[in-house]
Amino acid sequence: MADIKDVNIDFISDCCVEKTTRNSLSKAILTHYLHNFENGISKHYEKDAFNIIDQYISHVKKEHNISIDKSILFNKLIKEVSEVPFPPPKKHSFTFIDLFAGLGGFRIAMQELNGKCVFSSEWDKDAQKTYKENFGEYPFGDITKQEVKNFIPDSFDLLCAGFPCQPFSKGGFQNGFEDTRGTLFFDICEIIEKHKPKYLLLENVANLASHDNGNTYRVITKNLDKLGYYFPDKPLIISPDSFGIPILRPRVYIPCIRKEFAKGKESLIKNFREEIEKHFVNTTFTIDKIIDPEIEERISPYEEKVLKMWDDFYKGIDIKVIGFPIWMEYFKFDGDLNQFPLWKAKIISKNINLYQKNKKFIDDWLKKYDNLDWCVKTHRKMEWQAGDKYESVFDCLIQFRPSGVRIKKPDKFSTLVAMNHRQIIGKLKRKISVEEAKLLQSFPKEYKLVGTPNTIFKQLGNSVNVTVVKVIFNILSKYY
């Protein structure tokens, strides 16, 4: 590709891959430099970026005997990183770094608040491509590697990180964050200790607060305290439905302010829930605001048959609020319940009683559906969690789960999970689409999703919710 009009960052990096000592970082180096060439942050990337560009120019001269004007090439690359759906603000009011960046949920939120990202890191290759497509920037890779950490600018205002939940040693806190060595939180602590940003905003799964009997959360907050930060006194667990978004997805958030910036307002961060609850809304958008009625995808004939089977069952039994899982295989159980754990024995007993009270109907139902022999074993189980206001399975949201076919109220989607466990919109007889899942995570409609549906859904499931982190940091920056 000697014609400059066809040259792009990917091609330059690939051409120089054997000639650059940091070949795995070249795309990140180039895009970070091009996004910052007009400000002082560029010094962290300039030398390596120029080296890559010079090597490409030399490569073209050697291989094709063509001379490329460096300024023309540079302008071409600037255009590539600038003409994207979500470029950085022209004039920013704060800077931030985006660790474990994923699809860039933190970045969308902070750019909407007029923040400029000066460093991003994400190890997943598919997520990196999506990030580049939307922001014009390849994130650096594995943040545990020192060569990656070395590219973090000296100064920035906010560190954002949606890091994985990992257990820590129960050895105590004697050595500060040294006790977290071997975990990704240790790497975050190293970065915090070196750069001392004014703000931190961390996100994790809700059970981080109770993980390892609370030890994990205690270790995290103890180390944040030692590193010089105030944070909420109690775990801050928030779901997007608190802001009107129809999805139940509780996550724990840890907003932090460096102690020297608290200025006597420590109580605000320590009682942060009181502040954020002022922004909660009383009503949730209906799922109709999210779903697209034009999508023609349908569930499979098998899936529809399973749902029709359970729909007939629900309509035929004599109770409408089922407070236990339905386990078809135990309807006619006549063995010793003592062989089971107490919790399981209670569920089996309730299934036996349900069968005995509805014996004629259930026998006819089993006969109609061939004793469910054609069903996947887990689909012979059903969990009705939709209360008594809905008369049909097809009025609800449904999910095929390892524990059975779960039926839920049609007002809020559940936490996004893997592609093969997507919730089914009963009235449309189809699964939620990736575009709809994108809106549930508060990504703009203009955000481009790259890759296979399975890959995209996995990435959306791992992402932070844009609205939630935006509200949190807006409050934090307003008061400090």
Side-chain angles (χ1 to χ4, degrees):
M1 191 186 293
D3 192 335
I4 195 169
K5 74 176 186 296
D6 297 322
V7 174
N8 59 32
I9 289 163
D10 288 352
F11 184 74
I12 291 175
S13 298
D14 292 341
C15 280
C16 301
V17 71
E18 295 180 356
K19 308 175 188 298
T20 306
T21 55
R22 294 188 175 99
N23 53 60
S24 63
L25 307 174
S26 58
K27 295 177 183 180
I29 292 168
L30 276 177
T31 52
H32 278 71
Y33 172 73
L34 293 166
H35 268 164
N36 294 285
F37 79 97
E38 291 182 317
N39 59 49
I41 297 164
S42 63
K43 66 182 180 181
H44 297 278
Y45 315 112
E46 185 175 73
K47 180 179 178 181
D48 293 279
F50 281 180
N51 186 36
I52 294 166
I53 292 172
D54 288 341
Q55 287 180 13
Y56 174 70
I57 292 173
S58 298
H59 167 79
V60 172
K61 179 66 174 176
K62 180 180 178 180
E63 297 295 326
H64 304 282
N65 197 29
I66 294 175
S67 298
I68 292 180
D69 187 302
K70 190 172 183 177
S71 62
I72 294 176
L73 176 60
F74 185 78
N75 289 333
K76 172 85 167 54
L77 299 180
I78 285 288
K79 185 176 181 181
E80 179 182 344
V81 302
S82 301
E83 295 182 352
V84 290
F86 304 98
K90 294 186 182 302
K91 292 184 178 181
H92 61 274
S93 55
F94 67 95
T95 57
F96 65 97
I97 67 171
D98 193 5
L99 306 182
F100 313 100
L103 296 181
F106 272 118
R107 184 161 183 157
I108 290 282
M110 298 311 140
Q111 286 191 176
E112 289 180 356
L113 294 173
N114 205 36
K116 178 174 176 56
C117 184
V118 295
F119 175 88
S120 58
S121 174
E122 168 58 49
W123 67 271
D124 185 88
K125 299 297 183 184
D126 294 314
Q128 287 179 348
K129 293 175 183 177
T130 305
Y131 202 93
K132 163 63 164 56
E133 185 71 19
N134 287 279
F135 305 109
E137 179 178 295
Y138 277 109
F140 285 88
D142 189 350
I143 196 60
T144 66
K145 295 182 177 179
Q146 191 59 47
E147 64 176 348
V148 171
K149 291 176 186 166
N150 289 341
F151 282 101
I152 299 176
D154 296 331
S155 178
F156 53 89
D157 299 306
L158 164 68
L159 180 149
C160 300
F163 64 103
C165 178
Q166 296 174 287
F168 301 122
S169 166
K170 292 184 173 67
F173 315 115
Q174 296 94 330
N175 300 315
F177 70 85
E178 288 295 322
D179 287 324
T180 70
R181 186 175 293 279
T183 70
L184 294 169
F185 182 68
F186 173 82
D187 296 284
I188 294 175
C189 288
E190 273 196 329
I191 294 167
I192 292 170
E193 185 179 50
K194 178 180 178 181
H195 297 277
K196 298 177 174 55
K198 180 178 179 180
Y199 308 103
L200 312 176
L201 182 49
L202 310 180
E203 181 262 5
N204 212 302
V205 294
N207 70 3
L208 174 77
S210 57
H211 185 256
D212 194 17
N213 294 316
N215 181 65
T216 302
Y217 190 79
R218 284 193 296 273
V219 171
I220 288 172
T221 53
K222 185 73 173 181
N223 280 287
L224 292 175
D225 177 57
K226 288 187 174 182
L227 286 166
Y229 291 85
Y230 291 126
F231 43 83
D233 279 344
K234 298 179 181 179
L236 183 66
I237 298 175
I238 302 174
S239 173
D241 66 309
S242 295
F243 301 103
I245 303 162
I247 180 172
L248 287 168
R249 191 175 184 271
R251 289 292 186 272
V252 62
Y253 298 89
I254 312 177
C256 305
I257 181 68
R258 195 157 182 84
K259 291 178 180 179
E260 61 258 38
F261 294 102
K263 299 177 181 177
K265 294 186 287 187
E266 298 88 346
S267 61
L268 184 140
I269 188 68
K270 291 182 177 182
N271 301 294
F272 198 82
R273 172 163 286 279
E274 294 180 11
E275 292 300 319
I276 200 164
E277 284 181 350
K278 297 174 185 177
H279 297 261
F280 287 179
V281 298
N282 295 323
T283 57
T284 301
F285 304 143
T286 67
I287 65 170
D288 292 331
K289 190 168 182 177
I290 295 293
I291 61 177
D292 181 357
E294 303 300 318
I295 296 176
E296 296 182 356
E297 176 190 350
R298 295 272 294 194
I299 55 177
S300 70
Y302 166 79
E303 290 169 323
E304 188 165 352
K305 184 177 180 181
V306 171
L307 297 188
K308 178 66 169 62
M309 174 188 80
W310 285 118
D311 190 51
D312 287 352
F313 180 87
Y314 181 69
K315 290 176 177 177
I317 58 175
D318 65 350
I319 57 173
K320 293 306 171 189
V321 179
I322 308 173
F324 55 91
I326 301 298
W327 292 348
M328 164 267 173
E329 63 183 300
Y330 288 106
F331 285 162
K332 302 178 183 180
F333 181 79
D334 60 359
D336 183 6
L337 291 175
N338 291 323
Q339 66 183 291
F340 303 108
L342 181 60
W343 67 268
K344 187 172 184 178
K346 287 181 177 179
I347 293 174
I348 293 172
S349 178
K350 289 177 181 179
N351 274 270
I352 295 170
N353 291 337
L354 178 69
Y355 171 71
Q356 291 174 345
K357 290 181 179 179
N358 296 268
K359 185 175 185 303
K360 183 180 185 309
F361 165 73
I362 293 178
D363 283 342
D364 290 343
W365 177 77
L366 288 170
K367 183 178 180 181
K368 177 180 178 180
Y369 287 103
D370 301 317
N371 208 41
L372 280 58
D373 290 337
W374 51 276
C375 269
V376 173
K377 190 172 182 179
T378 55
H379 299 164
R380 299 172 196 168
K381 301 178 180 180
M382 188 267 281
E383 302 170 6
W384 182 271
Q385 298 180 3
D388 61 353
K389 294 182 179 179
Y390 306 99
E391 298 181 356
S392 169
V393 164
F394 294 102
D395 292 335
C396 303
L397 296 174
I398 310 111
Q399 197 168 25
F400 285 86
R401 298 176 63 89
S403 59
V405 179
R406 181 173 293 178
I407 318 296
K408 297 185 75 70
K409 296 177 182 179
D411 56 346
K412 298 174 186 178
F413 288 96
S414 299
T415 293
L416 302 174
V417 291
M419 188 73 177
N420 58 336
H421 291 153
R422 286 182 296 161
Q423 279 191 287
I424 295 167
I425 305 166
K427 63 182 179 181
L428 300 179
K429 295 183 180 179
R430 70 163 175 83
K431 296 177 181 178
I432 181 176
S433 71
V434 290
E435 287 293 326
E436 291 162 339
K438 179 180 78 174
L439 297 179
L440 287 172
Q441 288 288 53
S442 304
F443 281 84
K445 289 184 177 180
E446 300 78 22
Y447 188 90
K448 296 180 179 180
L449 297 168
V450 180
T452 65
N454 192 51
T455 296
I456 294 168
F457 217 87
K458 175 185 174 184
Q459 292 170 356
L460 284 168
N462 289 332
S463 177
V464 297
N465 185 281
V466 174
T467 293
V468 177
V469 294
K470 181 179 178 181
V471 172
I472 290 173
F473 187 69
N474 194 35
I475 296 171
L476 190 64
S477 59
K478 177 182 177 182
Y479 285 97
Y480 299 107

